[in-house]
């Protein structure tokens, strides 16, 4: 009674006014459906008001706001409106009394479990809101992950594309929010859903969402994934790289890079709770050769170029994960550089596009991630590679181009260029002349800068 008295006797804040307006719209929905534009503007103002409002005022209106947002979602709001309503729901719980996260998540799960096929918009709105709650509070509601995964499986059987899409967005948020701390059965069911229903969906945007779910699995440590699951998912990612839709190829290329990076780092692999027999984590032996090197070398067919470009992106995502997520020293990138150049060893199956792909990997994935001392030692490694007797012509071109790019990045002296000039003049004339020109220009710029000082 005291709290109610206080609410009724204090002046309405901006936040309170907006909540009252939202309640009015929801209450009159039986006579007149809510206007989408009006709801969009109101929810935008509501979100900004939540950020600006003190917690004391939020607590006075939190339950009323949550109820109004929930009612708006299950009325069947369209995607822009339900997105804002979901964000507002998560924001107000985060800033106010967070204990309500349990009841709200349970209510949404109950609505989704009992939902009918004739209510696609309502179910999509509830799924989007539940996904947003998992994104912010996933570790607090991990006990509901299995039920959420079962709900996602149910929604994947709907004919409406947007319902299947929201189901996978919800699943992705739930996986990332849980962080690998839920029960083993939840992750097993989620992986089965992705590989059985999602990756082969007829809609390309749903396939993209499925790829992002696979990437989410890798990002949280692949809970419950054994050698068979790793091989199944990575092999499928390679297979999809000839998909006619470029955005689908890009999404699965990123997922492939993340999966291979996780497989190469067994210490980051997660064993979920509730597993009867814990299988020790194991490094994915030969993963680079099996999923990144051999598919690139053996690529053929009408979509040959698409496959190579997809694998190029996978290489870059893999190398970036190695450095940024798993924190390997940048000196290890040199070892990967040799494996990358080795993809050009078979001259019969190499062309200009393959060379361009390898150069892109060496620049973006290797050189650009190196610190200056490592780049200097990388120059020495490239010089030694150029002296190798079994160096193929395309490998030599790749080494020279990469050396040129690294020199340009470092601003190194011309001495290195003259060493190459003496030892490789006859076979690499054009490229070495270009290298010399770049070094002389850099040398001239350095002299001008010194004079200016």
């Amino acid at each position: 009674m005291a709290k109610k008295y206080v609410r009724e006797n204090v002046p309405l804040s901006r936040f309170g006014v907006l909540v009252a307006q939202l309640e009015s719209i929801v209450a009159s929905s039986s006579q007149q459906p809510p206007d989408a534009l009006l709801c969009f503007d109101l929810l935008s103002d509501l979100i900004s008001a939540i950020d600006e409002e003190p917690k004391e005022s939020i607590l006075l209106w939190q339950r009323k706001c949550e109820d109004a947002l929930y009612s708006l979602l299950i009325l069947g709001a369209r995607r822009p409106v339900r997105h804002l309503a979901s964000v507002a729901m998560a924001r107000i719980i985060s800033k106010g009394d967070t204990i309500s996260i349990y009841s709200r998540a349970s209510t949404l799960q109950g609505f989704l479990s009992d939902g009918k096929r004739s209510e696609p918009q309502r179910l999509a709105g509830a799924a989007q809101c539940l996904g947003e709650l998992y994104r912010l509070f996933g570790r607090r509601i991990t006990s509901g992950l299995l039920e959420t995964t079962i709900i996602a499986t149910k929604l994947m059987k709907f004919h409406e594309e947007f319902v299947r899409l929201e189901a996978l967005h919800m699943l992705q948020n739930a996986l990332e929010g849980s962080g690998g701390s839920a029960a083993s059965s939840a992750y097993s069911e989620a992986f089965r859903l992705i590989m059985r229903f999602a990756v082969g969906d007829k809609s390309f945007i749903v396939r993209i969402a499925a790829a992002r779910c696979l990437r989410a699995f890798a990002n949280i440590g692949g809970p419950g994934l054994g050698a068979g699951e790793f091989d199944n998912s990575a092999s499928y990612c390679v297979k999809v790289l000839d998909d006619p839709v470029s955005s689908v190829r890009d999404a699965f290329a990123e997922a492939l890079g993340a999966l291979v990076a996780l497989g190469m780092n067994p210490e980051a692999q997660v064993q979920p709770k509730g597993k009867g027999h814990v299988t020790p984590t194991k490094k994915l032996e030969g993963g680079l050769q099996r999923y990144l090197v051999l598919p690139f070398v053996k690529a053929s067919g009408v979509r040959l170029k698409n496959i190579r470009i997809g694998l190029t992106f996978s290489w870059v995502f893999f190398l970036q994960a190695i450095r940024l997520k798993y924190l390997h020293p940048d000196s290890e990138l040199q070892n990967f550089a040799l494996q990358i150049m080795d993809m050009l060893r078979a001259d019969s199956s190499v062309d200009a596009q393959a060379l361009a792909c390898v150069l892109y990997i060496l620049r973006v994935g290797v050189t650009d991630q190196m610190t200056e001392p490592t780049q200097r030692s990388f120059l020495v490694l490239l010089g030694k590679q150029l002296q190798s007797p079994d160096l193929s012509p395309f490998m030599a071109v790749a080494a020279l181009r990469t050396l040129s790019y690294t020199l340009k990045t470092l601003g190194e002296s011309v001495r290195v260029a003259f060493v190459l000039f003496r030892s490789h003049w006859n076979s690499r004339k054009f490229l070495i002349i270009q290298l010399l020109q770049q070094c002389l220009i850099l040398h001239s710029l350095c002299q001008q800068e010194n004079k200016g000082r």
Side-chain angles (χ1 to χ4, degrees), residues 131 134-139 142 145 168-181 187 211-221 223 254:
Y134 265 106
R135 190 179 68 84
L136 289 183
F137 307 99
R139 289 186 178 273
T142 52
L145 182 60
L168 291 179
H169 285 168
M170 177 183 68
L171 182 62
Q172 180 189 348
N173 285 330
L175 290 171
E176 292 175 338
S178 68
S181 59
Y187 295 111
R212 289 172 180 165
C213 286
L214 280 180
R215 184 193 62 192
F217 242 112
N219 289 340
I220 63 174
E254 186 172 359

Side-chain angles (χ1 to χ4, degrees), residues 66-137:
E66 289 180 22
D67 291 340
L69 290 170
Y70 175 78
S71 299
L72 182 63
L73 285 166
I74 63 173
L75 282 173
R78 299 291 174 174
R79 188 173 187 185
V81 175
R82 65 175 180 255
H83 168 70
L84 291 179
S86 301
V87 171
M89 180 78 82
R91 291 271 183 91
I92 194 171
I93 295 175
S94 179
K95 191 166 183 179
D97 184 2
T98 57
I99 194 66
S100 65
I101 180 60
Y102 303 104
S103 60
R104 288 298 165 190
S106 178
T107 301
L108 289 165
Q109 285 180 328
F111 179 80
L112 289 165
S113 297
D114 299 335
K116 302 175 182 177
R117 285 181 177 263
S118 59
E119 303 173 331
Q121 291 289 350
R122 296 184 178 190
L123 293 173
Q128 187 163 7
C129 186
L130 183 58
E132 189 67 22
L133 295 183
Y134 265 106
R135 190 179 68 84
L136 289 183
F137 307 99

Side-chain angles (χ1 to χ4, degrees), residues 1-12 60-61:
M1 289 296 294
K3 187 176 286 188
K4 181 178 180 182
Y5 177 81
V6 171
R7 183 187 295 129
E8 291 175 352
N9 287 273
V10 295
L12 277 178
L60 291 174
W61 295 95

Side-chain angles (χ1 to χ4, degrees), residues 128-319:
Q128 187 163 7
C129 186
L130 183 58
E132 189 67 22
L133 295 183
Y134 265 106
R135 190 179 68 84
L136 289 183
F137 307 99
R139 289 186 178 273
R140 299 181 63 176
I141 51 176
T142 52
S143 59
L145 182 60
L146 176 58
E147 184 179 351
T148 299
T149 304
I150 294 171
I151 290 169
T153 304
K154 169 189 171 182
L155 297 180
M156 283 299 297
K157 298 176 182 178
F158 275 59
H159 299 298
E160 291 81 5
E161 177 186 88
F162 66 88
V163 177
R164 302 197 303 275
L165 182 63
E166 292 298 350
L168 291 179
H169 285 168
M170 177 183 68
L171 182 62
Q172 180 189 348
N173 285 330
L175 290 171
E176 292 175 338
S178 68
S181 59
S184 171
S185 55
Y187 295 111
S188 300
E189 179 67 22
F191 186 78
R192 187 186 72 85
L193 161 63
I194 295 167
M195 297 306 298
R196 183 176 178 182
F197 298 106
V199 293
D201 195 273
K202 60 184 178 182
S203 168
F204 77 91
I205 62 172
V206 177
R207 296 200 300 275
I208 292 172
R212 289 172 180 165
C213 286
L214 280 180
R215 184 193 62 192
F217 242 112
N219 289 340
I220 63 174
L225 297 189
E229 288 80 9
F230 264 116
D231 181 68
N232 188 16
S233 54
S235 298
Y236 191 88
C237 287
V238 173
K239 177 183 177 182
V240 179
L241 293 180
D242 66 349
D243 193 281
V245 181
S246 61
S247 53
V248 174
R249 297 195 300 269
D250 294 345
F252 277 97
E254 186 172 359
L256 176 61
L259 286 166
V260 175
L262 176 63
M264 298 286 288
N265 291 272
E267 70 282 354
Q269 296 171 20
V270 173
Q271 287 292 339
K273 298 177 182 178
K275 198 165 186 176
H277 176 67
V278 177
T279 305
T281 57
K282 187 177 180 181
K283 187 174 182 179
L284 190 64
E285 296 294 343
L288 283 178
Q289 286 291 323
R290 196 180 319 151
Y291 305 118
L292 297 182
V293 175
L294 289 178
F296 187 95
V297 174
K298 295 182 176 180
S300 60
V302 294
R303 294 199 173 98
L304 163 68
K305 292 185 177 181
N306 290 342
I307 297 172
R308 283 178 178 165
I309 291 173
L311 290 167
T312 298
F313 290 152
S314 294
W315 263 109
V316 172
F317 291 132
F318 163 76
L319 294 168

